[in-house]
């Protein structure tokens, strides 16, 4: 039987950052980073657009806003120190309708409150900066960047091992038994005993929380984010991140153009209800996952409140032309033949029983465990300060 002072379940970027922060906060203590896949960062971390977010979208004073600002700076420093490619290329939030202009102005005001450098551009100034992009105006954010989060994830896991921690892959969690003295984790590789466990289970967070005896009043709902790559010879369509003005009632940012650190350009993601938590090919289906969605009352509230949005997203998922039209609102030069398929991502979104989306980070604690339930975008950007916050709570729980 393996025994550790601390175990982190889930080796995505938040889990890896947490394990590394534990080795720094508690030198000499034994730390295990455990993941069921054959490597780290195989799910959300390895399937995102690589954006280092500025934090403009988030309510002033929210944990999301504070951690995102701190995370952007920390991510850039970490990437620079560990040889991970990154670039601060900036972002343009493009308004294409009068209603979006009003939304853009609201975001400009939020940027000021959140202390984010932003400038409002006219339609002519937008076209001068990005010749292939059109709109009634745009909000220019200079601090937004891009990186490769899977490389950052790998580097973090390497630091855990370098500090004396243990890395364990291909090991799935099958049960949790918590007592007053310890936590016994049943896994496919045998039992692991820990003094304290941090669970960073992503899309499986509700099932893992239920294993630990928590009264689960939420469900992790998979939303597929489908991407396309733009043909290499057309990668000059945008030099800056190009985003639409988001719907403030939804936790998704809309289909955007994203230059990548390797010189490419991709488009996406949309947001389509998925029927498989870890099924990345189009039309993936898992019987258990689909059954859990159907049985969860919150999803029916979501469906009733978002009928038109859901139908539109489904149509754009099956229709490449429909997807293209989303982009041509602000990039009319983009053509159907420019889009080539790219592997989708799956966003783990916590939804409460009343159908409300959890927009901020959601943590649940037991006497000897902390569950990171909802770590939505910008979790990758914010991973380093999120880890510090988690470890601070661990220390408080243990009176350390």
């Amino acid at each position: 039987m393996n025994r550790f002072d601390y175990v982190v379940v889930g080796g995505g970027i938040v889990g890896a950052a947490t394990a590394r922060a534990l080795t720094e906060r508690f030198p000499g203590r034994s730390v295990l980073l455990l993941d069921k896949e054959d490597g780290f960062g195989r799910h959300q971390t390895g399937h995102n657009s690589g954006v280092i977010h500025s934090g403009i979208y988030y309510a002033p004073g929210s944990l999301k806003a504070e951690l995102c600002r701190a995370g952007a700076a920390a991510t850039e420093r970490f990437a620079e120190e560990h040889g991970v490619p990154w670039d601060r290329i900036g972002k343009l939030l493009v308004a294409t309708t009068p209603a979006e202009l009003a939304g853009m102005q609201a975001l400009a005001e939020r940027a000021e409150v959140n202390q984010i450098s932003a400038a409002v551009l006219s339609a002519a100034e937008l076209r001068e900066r990005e010749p292939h992009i059109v709109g009634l105006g745009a909000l220019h954010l200079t601090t937004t960047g891009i990186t490769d989060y899977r490389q950052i994830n790998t580097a973090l896991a390497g630091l855990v091992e370098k500090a004396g921690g243990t890395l364990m892959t291909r090991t799935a969690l099958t049960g949790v038994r918590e007592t007053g003295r310890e936590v016994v984790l049943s896994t496919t590789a045998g039992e692991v005993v820990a003094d304290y466990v941090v669970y960073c289970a992503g899309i499986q967070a509700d099932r893992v929380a239920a294993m630990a005896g928590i009264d689960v009043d939420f469900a992790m709902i998979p939303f597929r984010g489908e991407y396309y790559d733009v043909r290499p010879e057309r990668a000059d369509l945008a030099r800056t991140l190009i985003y639409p003005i988001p719907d403030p009632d939804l936790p998704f940012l809309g289909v955007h153009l994203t230059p990548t650190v390797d010189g490419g350009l991709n488009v996406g993601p949309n947001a389509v209800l998925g029927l498989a938590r870890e099924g990345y090919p189009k039309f993936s289906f898992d019987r258990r996952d689909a059954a859990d969605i159907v049985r969860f009352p919150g999803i029916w509230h979501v469906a009733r409140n978002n009928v038109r949005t859901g139908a539109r997203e489904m149509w754009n998922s099956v229709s490449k032309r429909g997807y293209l039209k989303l982009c041509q609102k602000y990039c009319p030069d983009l053509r159907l033949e420019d889009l080539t398929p790219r592997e989708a991502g799956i966003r783990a979104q916590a939804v409460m029983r009343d159908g409300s989306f959890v927009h901020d980070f959601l943590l649940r604690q037991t006497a000897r465990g902390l569950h990171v339930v909802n770590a939505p975008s910008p979790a990758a950007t914010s991973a380093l300060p999120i880890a510090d916050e988690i470890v601070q709570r661990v220390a408080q729980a243990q009176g350390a």
Side-chain angles (χ1 to χ4, degrees), residues 141-164:
L141 309 179
T142 59
T143 57
T144 307
I146 52 175
T147 190
D148 185 326
Y149 284 113
R150 182 174 281 192
Q151 288 191 46
I152 289 178
N153 201 149
T154 299
L156 286 165
L159 291 173
V160 172
E161 190 170 40
K162 186 176 180 181

Side-chain angles (χ1 to χ4, degrees), residues 183-204:
V183 184
V184 180
L185 303 176
S186 300
T187 79
T188 52
E191 288 191 340
V192 174
V193 180
D195 288 342
Y196 200 95
V197 182
V198 178
Y199 304 88
C200 300
I203 193 68
Q204 307 295 348

Side-chain angles (χ1 to χ4, degrees), residues 73-241:
T75 298
E76 289 179 356
R77 287 194 303 270
F78 186 91
E80 189 68 31
E81 290 170 4
H82 297 278
V84 177
W86 72 280
D87 192 6
R88 193 184 298 166
I89 62 173
K91 175 193 289 188
L92 288 165
L93 286 157
V94 179
T96 59
T97 67
E100 289 180 353
L101 272 178
M104 183 188 79
Q105 187 57 47
L107 285 172
E109 293 168 4
R110 178 167 287 186
E112 185 174 359
V113 175
N114 282 344
Q115 300 179 329
I116 296 167
S117 175
V120 174
L121 304 183
S122 67
E125 290 170 328
L126 166 63
R127 198 63 183 258
E128 183 179 358
R129 183 174 291 276
E130 287 284 356
H132 298 285
I133 306 302
V134 301
L136 301 179
L139 190 65
H140 183 220
L141 309 179
T142 59
T143 57
T144 307
I146 52 175
T147 190
D148 185 326
Y149 284 113
R150 182 174 281 192
Q151 288 191 46
I152 289 178
N153 201 149
T154 299
L156 286 165
L159 291 173
V160 172
E161 190 170 40
K162 186 176 180 181
T166 302
L167 307 181
M168 186 180 296
T169 56
R170 300 180 182 178
T171 305
L173 182 70
T174 58
V176 178
R177 187 172 77 256
E178 184 174 324
T179 71
R181 299 178 57 189
E182 62 190 17
V183 184
V184 180
L185 303 176
S186 300
T187 79
T188 52
E191 288 191 340
V192 174
V193 180
D195 288 342
Y196 200 95
V197 182
V198 178
Y199 304 88
C200 300
I203 193 68
Q204 307 295 348
D206 52 349
R207 292 171 179 169
V208 170
M211 280 185 199
I214 290 177
D215 181 18
V216 178
D217 57 351
F218 60 91
M220 301 308 297
I221 303 297
F223 284 91
R224 288 175 53 79
E226 296 165 335
Y227 294 87
Y228 287 94
D229 281 323
V230 176
R231 289 186 297 128
E233 56 269 31
R234 298 279 280 162
D236 62 350
L237 283 172
R239 301 184 299 266
T240 310
L241 291 154

